[in-house]
Amino acid sequence: MAEHYKPVKYKAWELTLEERFQEYYPPLSEREAVLEANRCLYCHDAPCMVACPTHIDIPTFIRKIATGNTKGSARTILEANLLGATCSRVCPVEELCEGACVMRHDHKPITIGRLQRYAMDYAQEKKIKFFEAGKPNGFKVAVVGTGPAGLSCAGELAKLGFDVTCFEKKKMAGGLSTYGIVVFREPVEVSLAEVKNIEDLGVKIKTECTIGEDIKFEELIENYDAVFFGVGLGSVPDLAVPGEDLEGVVDGLDFIEATKVDKLDSIKFGNRIAVIGAGNTGIDCATIARRLGAERVTIVYRRSEAEMPAYHFEYQFALGEGVSFMFLTQPVEIVGKDGKVEGLKCLRMDLGEPDHSGRRMPVPAKGSEFVIPCDMVIKAIGQKKHTDLLGKLAEFGVKSTKNGYIAVADDTKRSDHPKIFAGGDCIRSKGEASTVAAVQDGKVAAAAIYRQLVGAPSPNEKHIEPVLSPVK
Amino acid sequence: MANLEIDFCGIKSPNPFWLASAPPSNSAYQVQKAFSQGWGGAVWKTIGAPVLNVCNRYGTIDYKGQKIIGLNNVELISDRPIELNLREIKETKKNFPNHTVIVSVMVESKKEAWQEVIKRVEDTGADGFELNFGCPHGMSERGMGSAMGQVPEYTCMVTEWVMDVATKPVIVKLTPNVTNIVEPARAAVKGRASALSLINTINSIMGVDLDSFEIKPNVGGKGGHGGYAGHAVKPIALHLLSAVASDPEVQKAGLPISGIGGIETWRDAVEFMLLGSTSVQVCTAVMHWGFRIVEDMIEGMSNWMDDKGFKSCHDFIGKSLPRISNFGDFDLGFQTVARINPDKCIHCNLCYIACNDAAHQCIDMKSLKLNGEMTASLQPVVREEDCVGCDLCSKVCPVDDCISMVQIDTGRPHITWNELTKSRPEVLEWDKMEQYRKEANIHIH
């Protein structure tokens, strides 16, 4: 049987542990890619391109795949988005480009994400270098955090001739792409290759370097002409229920990180797992747990299906992976024996009046208490704000929003301190927290830093206008 | 990045991609927009005699889900006043001095008319002329366009009239609607033309509506032949281009050629250039997708040139032309057979049915021993001793690299038909031919 016509093995128990953590979607073959690319209508001012937060010229990159100019296709993507390889894997395409595709009306939308991955994989495999560091302009910029926002900002600035140094507190750069995206959606190597591409532009990355500890804030702000904070968010907050310190209660992000950087067979997991929270992290933890081999995995969420933050495709994916959901269920205590988790005590909830977020408020149903027997509880109820950082930044006049994010201007990503810019999850007080939005923040900040320091519009902002108006 | 600049009979163009004389090059707005997006040149939509256009000017061939693989039109030359066109040409050349602006012209068959229009265009600063001897509809009925191009004597005569007054290069655009395109090409050479361009559109009726019985395109209940263009005509254009480009008289005169006919992508453009085009002209693809396609054309060609190590377009223009030959000069000893890779086969069996019904019945459906076991399903297998190497099976196979044509040598003499019939003219009789086949180890079952 031809290699690319092999049916996908989908039953987890038929696969080895390593196989279960391969990328979920196989790469497109050249033939598949060209056929799909030729289905694209090559719309003008295309809705997909408008829907992409980084405004990748999607019809053009797809046409280039169709004409056999895959190298040019990759260039088109990277010109708009230096983290095109990550975005092609982690973007919620159903909500963005593919959701806007004109073909959705009476056909299937073009599989834009997978075509983008095809072009990105091609460029990576051929080790094509697309950009050079710009002519040095004498300005120094510090970037704190090397997630998508920081890398995007650093890369764009390097292209424009800035001397850029990134500071990363972890061992490896890449932020959530390296540590926080489940490996069957994005292998670590993809993220690290992007880091390498940014470094190749002359960006210096100092890892295991924490601002405020290894380097003082004052030094940073004094020694650099601009500082960009792309620090993301912190660990998962406490549940504030009894039993949280029992053995078997873990932070969801740590759990995901282990599958990214540790040997798969060395990861500890329970057989009966309760995951608290139905957002992206909750889904990731639950599906990883299943793929590791956990027998019963339940996502416990205090609101209903309609309110859960996970995307519909994530929900469908989790169901397909054999994860069960308990909606309208509020954990009230983690019960244990001999210091180990034995169950999750919950209350059934009913939906009441809308709360401040506009979602209907869950109200406990009296006398509904019950225990889910389990040997592991994974917390995935969001991420902590960097309150210490915000406090420190406040000393420099940087304001924060009332719900704990760094306050920046929309069009420049600049804070109230003229040298301090920020982007990514640490400013995302409304809308979707996503990689692609972070990449765009980095781009916007880079352009604003250029305008501010060089005193001219960034050359990356140009676009073609007709020279004359149409003949009447 | 490779250098895409070309020199077309003295006209320097930033790249070989020109808009063909057609609706996309109708006005200063369009041509300047095209230049700003990367087009290297434009042949202005034909100016000349006054005209009136009709509605429903286009017919298309859509093929299995893809729109416009072929496009025909009954639109005429520019219907904008000549004064306006001349003014806009001048303005365009002024704004884009480094881009190529060629003006296509067509007037009635009178020496004074041609010479007057040429002089007026010269005043605009345009880089050259293209004589429209090809428009197959509307103008031809009035004695212009292809009515001139189809008669070599007229082609020569008008070219001479123009050359007598023109100080800029003159391109003669040839019509494909002739029996042998080399004749009008030679007539243009004789008339002292500076360059040639081809092909103009092909006479066509696009279809008939099964419900209304109307002709496509339908102009108020009537229809007629129009000019066919678009990707579907590319093979015809490549043939006519190669015929002209390899003609000794054209080669001796050293005329550059601008290739036209179905160019959609950089790959198409490279093929035209390998067969002798110095520049290429595009219309239908722009009519479908807009000027923006040129970015990929430039980048794709440049990437290809880098891969191949070509520094300039002139390094590969005409590179494949020496391979254009005639059947009588092909090697009769060149032998291939089809081989099917069972690991890649998906069992559609299209090769089997094509060979069995339409070729030489030399594919069998067999159970094969693969990986030590007999296959459960039947596998198409070529009986190589009977395979004539026609190549049909690999053409119908939907899987890349599944069926390959493998060169073999069974000791057939490497001789051409011309050589054979010269040395052994008796083979033109069937019994002698049989005898030769036996000697040459050629067995046809």
Side-chain angles (χ1 to χ4, degrees), chain A residues 412-424:
Chain A
T412 58
K413 307 298 165 200
R414 195 174 78 180
S415 71
D416 286 324
H417 186 289
K419 269 191 176 182
I420 299 176
F421 297 74

Side-chain angles (χ1 to χ4, degrees), chain A residues 342-372:
Chain A
E342 215 180 43
L344 183 66
K345 192 184 280 179
C346 301
L347 275 178
R348 293 293 191 189
M349 309 295 274
D350 292 315
L351 286 177
E353 295 301 310
D355 64 10
H356 66 276
S357 71
R359 300 182 297 180
R360 287 176 69 190
M361 184 83 143
V363 199
K366 272 189 188 144
S368 63
E369 205 172 86
F370 71 104
V371 173
I372 304 169

Side-chain angles (χ1 to χ4, degrees), chain B residues 357-386:
Chain B
D357 289 5
H360 299 266
Q361 301 82 41
C362 55
I363 296 180
D364 301 318
M365 295 303 295
K366 283 188 185 170
S367 186
L368 267 192
K369 198 168 187 180
L370 286 180
N371 306 322
E373 279 178 52
M374 296 304 281
T375 52
S377 58
L378 296 180
Q379 186 80 30
V381 181
V382 178
R383 227 168 40 252
E384 290 188 10
E385 64 275 21
D386 290 332

Side-chain angles (χ1 to χ4, degrees), chain A residues 262-290:
Chain A
D262 295 347
K263 275 197 138 100
L264 289 170
D265 55 10
S266 72
I267 299 165
K268 279 205 218 155
F269 62 94
N271 257 335
R272 299 159 301 146
I273 301 178
V275 177
I276 303 173
N280 314 133
T281 307
I283 299 281
D284 284 352
C285 292
T287 51
I288 288 173
R290 283 287 294 155

